[in-house]
Amino acid sequence: MTTSLQDGQSAAGRAAARDSPLATQVCGAAQGRGDARDLVPAPWLHARALLPPPDGTRGCAADRRKKKDLDVLEMPSIPNPFPELCCSPFTSVLSAGLFPKANSRKKQVIKVYSEDETSRALEVPSDITARDVCQLLILKNHYIDDHSWTLFEHLPHIGLERTIEDHELVIEVLSNWGMEEENKLYFRKNYAKYEFFKNPMYFFPEHMVSFATETNGEISPTQILQIFLSSSTYPEIHGFLHAKEQGKKSWKKIYFLLRRSGLYFSTKGTSKEPRHLQFFSEFGNSDIYVSLAGKKKHGAPTNYGFCFKPNKAGGPRDLKMLCAEEEQSRTCWVTAIRLLKYGMQLYQNYMHPYQGRSGCSSQSISPMRSISENSLVAMDFSGQKSRVIENPTEALSVAVEEGLAWRKKGCLRLGTHGSPTASSQSCATNMAIHRSQPWFHHKISREEAQRLIIQQGLVDGVFLVRDSQSNPKTFVLSMSHGQKIKHFQIIPVEDDGEMFHTLDDGHTRFTDLIQLVEFYQLNKGVLPCKLKHYCARIAL
């Protein structure tokens, strides 16, 4: 902050500067660190020092300027408007507290992967939440935000994965990773993330919740959910689980109980007496993970494994591995543990999805709605005014008539001109146009289709369409319903030289798969429920 005066500065100018009241005060503050020549000169003084020395022709003009400057410096004393500058000789002239504090939100670069293993690097502040990261990726890639986009923590070396809750700080999650671990953050949809708030009956079966068993079903699933969110009472989830014995490769089937204080197991059958209960794990300082390859990596008896892992970095020996008999049982345990650990915070994430720490708020981002079953109704446009069809029987008959109408105008969908060549080209195009759709996954196996649906949530209506492995000329519709995955074969049928697709042995026919999917998104038909959410592999 200090500099020396120019050698060309006149002695008169230096003396006048020392006579200035403000300069005298600043010079007094600089005692012990040099004289006034070590201070920054005034702008006008510095400018004069850079001028060439006056010659004989301009000597008078230079003298007049010096005299004018001296007159200005000899003006009456003006109170110093900055008394804080005149501090002790033992402190700096300008205190650091006078300057605005630098932004304490340090930024880091994180890498986020999609399901097709493409990635994107983001520079984010240290206090960014998982919801904020999702919002950034949604905006950058122009996706529709239906509140199902989720950030996942993937640990490939031990075959575990978990949902990072919307309110969690991403940098804190990364800080728990080991230096040599090849862990990843994945960005994809998870339709089941908050589905238990909408349909709790699918997540808490009566035979696993003690309140429902003791009251013979008098407490509804909604009331059970309220009990989970209450701090005064607690529910009790119970059932048999396979537990991996510490330090061994063997698994043992034990009766477990989940309470607000932690997870316990019974040392004597299904007894719930305190003397027979032994503490297994708490979830305050641990995270709940789902096992991706339990049979292969850990020798689990089934593929429905989950485990407790300490928040801090630890090896496989620190894991407490468990395994359920079926997917519904595992979903119940994991959902109950999430509710007991986070409580009302999860409900706030569900009700206010745009409340973040990094500026991604509801004021700056307008929510975009996606098509759901609640926003689709049966309409009648035959009269002068349209009307909503409220009678279920009438709505079903209208759906059947609409399906028949689609069947009749099948090959006219892409516009044929009556010529045989145009008709055959149109039908050939109809048979292949589905390949560009996000819900079509070409040649994937049955197991891979099930894995994709489980990853994106076992919610009723989650679906994808794929090629059949057993019959190359057919397709398969894989969908989720009732916490289970079901597969329906789409069979091609020929009628008058035209090819159609059908799910119900030819009763309802469609010229292409797009038409079929659109129909069953509006009508249940022979399916257990309507098609609602498609599984897609997005690219970042």
Side-chain angles (χ1 to χ4, degrees):
M1 178 173 176
T2 61
T3 184
S4 299
L5 298 179
Q6 300 294 328
D7 294 337
Q9 182 178 334
S10 64
R14 290 196 298 270
R18 280 195 292 268
D19 294 336
S20 171
L22 184 58
T24 301
Q25 294 172 349
V26 177
C27 290
Q31 290 177 0
R33 294 183 303 278
D35 56 13
R37 288 176 296 177
D38 296 327
L39 295 175
V40 178
W44 61 269
L45 192 58
H46 188 73
R48 291 184 64 237
L50 297 178
L51 293 176
D55 53 14
T57 58
R58 293 187 292 177
C60 296
D63 292 340
R64 286 194 298 269
R65 282 197 299 270
K66 290 179 181 179
K67 184 178 180 180
K68 184 178 180 180
D69 293 338
L70 290 173
D71 293 340
V72 173
L73 291 174
E74 292 174 357
M75 292 178 63
S77 176
I78 301 175
N80 183 14
F82 305 105
E84 62 271 14
L85 297 180
C86 303
C87 49
S88 170
F90 302 101
T91 59
S92 60
V93 175
L94 293 180
S95 174
L98 300 177
F99 297 97
K101 293 183 179 180
N103 191 354
S104 60
R105 298 173 68 196
K106 297 179 181 180
K107 291 191 174 182
Q108 291 184 236
V109 176
I110 63 173
K111 200 171 186 179
V112 184
Y113 291 82
S114 64
E115 288 173 308
D116 62 353
E117 294 302 322
T118 58
S119 63
R120 186 157 191 164
L122 298 173
E123 186 180 20
V124 299
S126 58
D127 62 345
I128 193 168
T129 63
R131 176 61 197 173
D132 293 335
V133 172
C134 292
Q135 198 65 37
L136 283 174
L137 293 171
I138 290 169
L139 296 176
K140 286 180 179 293
N141 294 278
H142 307 288
Y143 297 142
I144 293 178
D145 186 10
D146 55 1
H147 306 166
S148 62
W149 293 103
T150 309
L151 208 60
F152 289 85
E153 180 186 7
H154 183 70
L155 312 179
H157 63 291
I158 50 179
L160 300 178
E161 186 176 80
R162 78 174 180 100
T163 298
I164 302 179
E165 304 297 347
D166 286 346
H167 66 276
E168 288 190 72
L169 300 182
V170 177
I171 303 303
E172 284 189 4
V173 175
L174 300 184
S175 67
N176 295 329
W177 292 359
M179 294 295 293
E180 299 180 356
E181 297 177 357
E182 297 181 355
N183 302 334
K184 295 180 180 179
L185 294 177
Y186 276 93
F187 173 69
R188 64 170 180 263
K189 288 197 170 188
N190 180 16
Y191 297 107
K193 181 167 62 172
Y194 298 124
E195 185 68 16
F196 50 85
F197 286 119
K198 305 174 186 177
N199 300 301
M201 68 288 296
Y202 295 147
F203 291 81
F204 304 108
E206 292 186 5
H207 68 277
M208 293 185 64
V209 184
S210 60
F211 282 104
T213 303
E214 294 172 3
T215 57
N216 298 322
E218 293 181 7
I219 296 182
S220 66
T222 305
Q223 291 174 314
I224 295 175
L225 194 61
Q226 293 174 353
I227 294 173
F228 269 108
L229 299 177
S230 173
S231 59
S232 59
T233 59
Y234 68 91
E236 188 177 85
I237 305 297
H238 55 86
F240 282 96
L241 290 172
H242 298 274
K244 187 177 181 181
E245 297 187 69
Q246 200 74 15
K248 299 181 181 180
K249 294 184 178 179
S250 59
W251 292 72
K252 188 176 181 179
K253 193 173 183 179
I254 309 174
Y255 187 76
F256 279 86
L257 294 95
L258 178 66
R259 294 176 176 175
R260 191 171 295 278
S261 56
L263 184 65
Y264 300 83
F265 66 91
S266 177
T267 58
K268 186 178 180 180
T270 59
S271 174
K272 297 182 182 180
E273 295 184 20
R275 59 194 180 99
H276 294 148
L277 295 182
Q278 188 169 341
F279 182 78
F280 181 79
S281 177
E282 54 86 31
F283 33 81
N285 297 318
S286 301
D287 292 317
I288 184 73
Y289 288 79
V290 170
S291 178
L292 301 178
K295 281 188 174 182
K296 183 178 180 180
K297 289 212 175 258
H298 306 286
T302 70
N303 283 322
Y304 310 112
F306 62 99
C307 80
F308 291 93
K309 180 181 177 297
N311 292 336
K312 302 302 178 182
R317 292 184 178 181
D318 298 326
L319 303 179
K320 295 185 177 181
M321 306 291 298
L322 297 168
C323 183
E325 292 287 350
E326 57 183 1
E327 181 60 39
Q328 187 183 31
S329 176
R330 177 172 71 171
T331 302
C332 178
W333 286 103
V334 173
T335 304
I337 293 170
R338 287 177 61 201
L339 281 168
L340 289 177
K341 180 176 181 179
Y342 299 108
M344 285 299 298
Q345 182 64 59
L346 280 187
Y347 187 70
Q348 292 175 6
N349 294 346
Y350 167 64
M351 295 300 296
H352 308 287
Y354 294 105
Q355 287 186 354
R357 296 193 183 189
S358 305
C360 296
S361 62
S362 57
Q363 285 77 16
S364 59
I365 302 170
S366 58
M368 300 177 65
R369 294 185 60 191
S370 62
I371 296 177
S372 64
E373 183 181 9
N374 296 332
S375 61
L376 299 175
V377 295
M379 299 287 294
D380 179 16
F381 298 98
S382 59
Q384 295 181 352
K385 295 183 179 180
S386 59
R387 67 182 181 90
V388 176
I389 302 176
E390 299 180 355
N391 188 345
T393 305
E394 184 183 1
L396 179 61
S397 63
V398 170
V400 173
E401 291 178 5
E402 187 177 2
L404 294 175
W406 279 2
R407 174 188 173 187
K408 292 179 181 178
K409 64 180 182 181
C411 284
L412 298 178
R413 179 178 175 83
L414 297 178
T416 59
H417 301 287
S419 62
T421 304
S423 178
S424 60
Q425 290 178 351
S426 175
C427 291
T429 304
N430 288 352
M431 297 298 291
I433 195 173
H434 57 268
R435 298 186 183 275
S436 62
Q437 299 302 308
W439 40 257
F440 185 74
H441 291 261
H442 200 38
K443 296 181 179 180
I444 64 172
S445 64
R446 183 189 184 99
E447 292 74 19
E448 179 70 9
Q450 293 182 165
R451 186 187 67 83
L452 282 175
I453 294 177
I454 291 174
Q455 277 188 347
Q456 300 199 12
L458 286 178
V459 175
D460 287 358
V462 176
F463 75 97
L464 60 84
V465 180
R466 57 186 174 88
D467 288 318
S468 174
Q469 290 185 316
S470 58
N471 190 346
K473 295 183 180 180
T474 64
F475 303 97
V476 176
L477 171 66
S478 302
M479 65 176 297
S480 170
H481 178 258
Q483 298 282 314
K484 296 181 180 179
I485 299 175
K486 302 179 180 180
H487 306 272
F488 300 88
Q489 196 167 44
I490 303 174
I491 303 174
V493 294
E494 185 175 355
D495 187 11
D496 294 334
E498 301 292 342
M499 293 298 298
F500 298 93
H501 299 284
T502 182
L503 274 174
D504 53 6
D505 296 328
H507 295 288
T508 308
R509 304 179 184 182
F510 307 93
T511 58
D512 55 55
L513 293 182
I514 297 178
Q515 197 179 72
L516 183 145
V517 169
E518 288 178 351
F519 178 81
Y520 286 107
Q521 283 179 322
L522 298 172
N523 310 278
K524 185 176 75 169
V526 295
L527 300 178
C529 66
K530 298 178 185 178
L531 303 180
K532 299 178 184 177
H533 312 290
Y534 60 82
C535 288
R537 282 175 168 166
I538 56 103
L540 293 177

